[in-house]
Amino acid sequence: MAAALIWIPLLSAVPPTTPITYQAHLQGYPDLPRWLRYTQRSPHHPGFLYGTPTPEDRGRQVIEVIAYNRDNFDTTRQRLVLLIGDPEGPLIPYQAEFLVRSHDVEEVLPSTPASRFLTALGGLWELGELQLLNITSALDRGGRVPLPIEGRKEGVYIKVGSASPFSTCLKMVASPDSHARCAQGQPPLLSCYDTLAPHFRVDWCNVSLVDKSVPEPADEVPTPGDGILEHDLFFCPPTEAPARDFLTDALVTLLVPLLVALLLTLLLAYIMCCRREGRLKRDLATSDIQMVHHCTIRGNTEELRQMAASREVPRPLSTLPMFNVRTGERHPPQVDSAQVPLILDQH
């Protein structure tokens, strides 16, 4: 048995012209369950919750839906209780999936387009009753967003199941010869009339058939061995390892870097300490005129400092440390200004 598709339209008791947006999540969680999806084209279109639960999703699930009125900002909260049990009905071993490029996912979710698709597919799959198993947007399968051109759609994958075997027409579409023609850019082999056209434009190169009527063979359980490899002529591992002395390797690993570091240290010390020119060599390399000029400047500086230290006139106010040039405030100095030299000694 296979789980059936669940789709829930989100409608509100307001005029259709009122923009409404929805936000849905599993109670106690920020997102929806992994099997449930939400879609809404625009605030002026209805929203849909759809998906197919798996056997691991059985149980009671509460979905909280919040509706926002974009005109007056009213908010309405509603809880949807989903009771997911075991699938009922006959087994559905034959499943086929079609890519419909002429529709978006929200255009197929209402019951009328879905029923129309199953009715049209009945012309290709005549035996048995068809059941809608799953609907998935092509964007969720890695499809690209179409250009905003009229007639371009996102595409939707529709999975249909039945208890009856596939028809000869569907088997021919999914045959290796058809896949080879699709790989060359040619249309696949279709031995019957396309009853889905013109309402549904199906990409026949993306049709997949799954036959679950034949049980898959169980995987072989590996038998644990004793952990000993069998004798092999091409693989002869050594039975004994020769003794090795790692003292030499350890000394080379430690002493060589230390020796290199010592040599670099000695070289740097020689460059920094043993190759200094000194003042004598500097004075000998300097011209006499430059030396006389330098000595004259130093002598004049010392003479000015001595003259400034011996004068008895008071210092200008602008040179006092307590004189504020910007505000003009004066504070009595704590020391005798006449005894403070104008040019301080520089040592």
Side-chain angles (χ1 to χ4, degrees):
M1 290 178 285
L5 174 69
I6 297 177
W7 64 275
I8 304 172
L10 303 179
L11 303 175
S12 56
V14 295
T17 57
T18 304
I20 302 293
T21 57
Y22 303 92
Q23 182 180 4
H25 62 89
L26 183 63
Q27 188 178 24
Y29 295 89
D31 257 336
L32 290 171
R34 60 178 182 175
W35 63 272
L36 194 60
R37 299 180 182 275
Y38 164 75
T39 182
Q40 185 183 15
R41 180 59 56 178
S42 69
H44 296 279
H45 291 80
F48 291 93
L49 290 173
Y50 66 98
T52 303
T54 60
E56 291 80 8
D57 300 318
R58 289 176 296 182
R60 181 176 180 271
Q61 296 184 359
V62 180
I63 307 299
E64 292 186 354
V65 182
I66 303 176
Y68 300 94
N69 190 327
R70 294 303 179 181
D71 282 346
N72 54 16
F73 302 101
D74 288 343
T75 304
T76 304
R77 183 186 300 268
Q78 184 180 4
R79 289 182 174 88
L80 303 176
V81 180
L82 304 180
L83 300 177
I84 303 174
D86 296 328
E88 300 178 356
L91 295 176
I92 305 179
Y94 301 97
Q95 302 176 8
E97 190 174 54
F98 305 88
L99 174 57
V100 181
R101 297 191 177 276
S102 58
H103 288 69
D104 293 331
V105 63
E106 66 272 6
E107 297 176 348
V108 186
L109 286 174
S111 58
T112 301
S115 302
R116 186 182 304 168
F117 180 83
L118 294 178
T119 303
L121 184 60
L124 303 177
W125 198 346
E126 300 177 356
L127 301 177
E129 182 180 358
L130 303 180
Q131 183 177 350
L132 193 61
L133 300 181
N134 192 17
I135 293 178
T136 308
S137 174
L139 299 182
D140 298 333
R141 296 285 190 88
R144 303 179 66 178
V145 179
L147 296 175
I149 302 177
E150 185 178 1
R152 296 289 184 92
K153 301 291 184 177
E154 298 173 356
V156 58
Y157 285 90
I158 302 178
K159 180 180 286 188
V160 180
S162 176
S164 302
F166 301 114
S167 62
T168 306
C169 180
L170 293 179
K171 291 180 180 179
M172 183 175 296
V173 170
S175 63
D177 295 338
S178 295
H179 291 310
R181 290 174 59 89
C182 290
Q184 298 176 0
Q186 302 178 4
L189 299 175
L190 190 63
S191 61
C192 53
Y193 177 71
D194 185 4
T195 57
L196 295 172
H199 301 289
F200 299 94
R201 184 166 55 89
V202 178
D203 186 358
W204 293 105
C205 290
N206 283 277
V207 176
S208 59
L209 305 180
V210 178
D211 186 2
K212 297 184 178 180
S213 59
V214 180
E216 298 180 357
D219 297 336
E220 297 182 0
V221 179
T223 304
D226 52 4
I228 301 176
L229 296 177
E230 299 180 358
H231 178 68
D232 191 357
L233 298 177
F234 300 97
F235 179 70
C236 298
T239 56
E240 296 181 359
R244 293 185 58 186
D245 186 11
F246 294 97
L247 179 59
T248 305
D249 297 339
L251 292 178
V252 171
T253 304
L254 296 177
L255 295 181
V256 171
L258 292 177
L259 183 60
V260 173
L262 180 59
L263 292 177
L264 293 178
T265 304
L266 295 176
L267 179 62
L268 182 61
Y270 172 74
I271 295 175
M272 297 294 294
C273 302
C274 301
R275 293 183 58 85
R276 300 185 63 179
E277 297 180 352
R279 295 181 58 184
L280 179 59
K281 186 176 182 179
R282 182 192 64 185
D283 295 341
L284 294 177
T286 307
S287 62
D288 296 339
I289 298 178
Q290 187 175 355
M291 292 297 296
V292 171
H293 186 207
H294 177 68
C295 294
T296 304
I297 293 176
R298 289 197 59 181
N300 295 338
T301 303
E302 292 295 336
E303 185 178 358
L304 289 175
R305 287 174 180 170
Q306 294 175 5
M307 293 173 61
S310 61
R311 70 177 182 173
E312 299 297 335
V313 295
R315 295 176 56 188
L317 294 178
S318 60
T319 61
L320 294 177
M322 305 302 294
F323 178 75
N324 194 329
V325 180
R326 183 167 55 87
T327 61
E329 296 181 358
R330 303 178 183 178
H331 297 278
Q334 302 297 330
V335 296
D336 187 5
S337 60
Q339 302 299 327
V340 179
L342 181 61
I343 300 178
L344 300 178
D345 292 339
Q346 298 181 1
H347 300 285

